[in-house]
Amino acid sequence: DEQHRFGVAQRAKLLSKGDNPHLLVMSATPIPRTLGLIIFGDLDISVIDELPPNRKPVRTVLLPVSGRGRIYKFIREEVSRGRQAYIVCPSVEGSDEMKSAVDFCNELQRTVFRGISIACLHGRMKSEEKEAILSDFIKNKISVLVSTTVIEVGVNVPNASLMIVENADRFGLSQLHQLRGRVGRGSRKAYCVLVSDAR
């Protein structure tokens, strides 16, 4: 699984270990190279089109930046129900066009989400600090986690019901698919909101 984490050379090395071995490639992510191999190469495709038991489909919507007020209201509603939210920013350091995870978290803490437990997580933090923040999020000590894509794979918080992706046009299809997969891991309805003014 997570076959997009393997490089071309790694896959070739695995295939060279036998005399024309069979290869089963699995992925929940629409990876451009794999889709290309299916269409133009020698890969057959099998589709598992069922969700695990008790899971509901994640509702995904695209909203312009002007819709942020509605998003914040919805986050507060979800948190008041005991649920949690991710807000993903494309980078640790921002620019005029792009939200910085650290600055955005500080701004939200001061203004919109006063009284709500909020934390920031990014790849430049020390491992112990990242693990402590993730542990607190898993235990629901943190209600809103502002993060970079470090949460893209391997984070399982069934109580998280909302994924907000800031500057969604800065992410590739595979990343958006992986980020959306962080919510909807429990039995509750989950939502993914892509925020972008790009056309």
Side-chain angles (χ1 to χ4, degrees):
D1 202 359
E2 307 296 359
Q3 76 97 12
H4 64 296
R5 295 293 181 187
F6 290 88
V8 174
Q10 288 171 310
R11 282 195 289 269
K13 189 174 180 182
L14 284 169
L15 284 170
S16 71
K17 291 190 175 278
D19 184 21
N20 197 22
H22 294 280
L23 174 68
L24 175 64
V25 175
M26 293 179 67
S27 180
T29 309
I31 304 154
R33 182 178 184 279
T34 304
L35 294 174
L37 285 170
I38 291 165
I39 295 167
F40 304 111
D42 194 21
L43 274 185
D44 295 326
I45 185 168
S46 298
V47 177
I48 301 171
D49 59 0
E50 301 171 355
L51 290 170
N54 300 321
R55 289 212 191 154
K56 296 176 175 68
V58 176
R59 179 158 184 238
T60 305
V61 295
L62 174 66
L63 280 181
V65 173
S66 61
R68 249 195 215 117
R70 288 172 47 204
I71 295 167
Y72 295 156
K73 183 179 178 215
F74 190 46
I75 290 172
R76 282 194 296 271
E77 287 170 6
E78 287 293 285
V79 168
S80 72
R81 294 182 187 116
R83 302 197 187 112
Q84 295 164 277
Y86 297 97
I87 300 176
V88 176
C89 297
S91 73
V92 180
E93 295 170 352
S95 65
D96 290 342
E97 318 85 46
M98 205 167 37
K99 289 284 178 193
S100 144
V102 175
D103 294 342
F104 198 40
C105 181
N106 291 336
E107 178 189 325
L108 291 173
Q109 214 164 21
R110 281 191 323 269
T111 57
V112 182
F113 296 131
R114 273 180 294 183
I116 292 176
S117 58
I118 182 172
C120 185
L121 181 71
H122 57 80
R124 293 187 187 165
M125 294 173 140
K126 292 182 176 157
S127 293
E128 308 83 51
E129 195 177 359
K130 283 192 281 192
E131 286 170 22
I133 289 170
L134 266 178
S135 174
D136 283 350
F137 190 65
I138 289 165
K139 293 173 186 168
N140 202 0
K141 292 179 181 176
I142 295 170
S143 298
V144 178
L145 184 63
V146 180
S147 175
T148 58
T149 56
V150 293
I151 53 100
E152 181 182 346
V153 173
V155 177
N156 183 23
V157 183
N159 192 49
S161 61
L162 189 52
M163 168 64 68
I164 312 297
V165 182
E166 289 287 337
N167 301 104
D169 52 292
R170 301 276 179 163
F171 297 92
L173 180 62
S174 296
Q175 279 187 309
L176 291 174
H177 189 84
Q178 287 285 7
L179 290 169
R180 185 180 67 174
R182 296 307 98 212
V183 293
R185 302 181 78 80
S187 57
R188 296 185 178 112
K189 183 77 180 134
Y191 305 86
C192 178
V193 181
L194 307 176
V195 181
S196 176
D197 279 339
R199 298 275 175 234

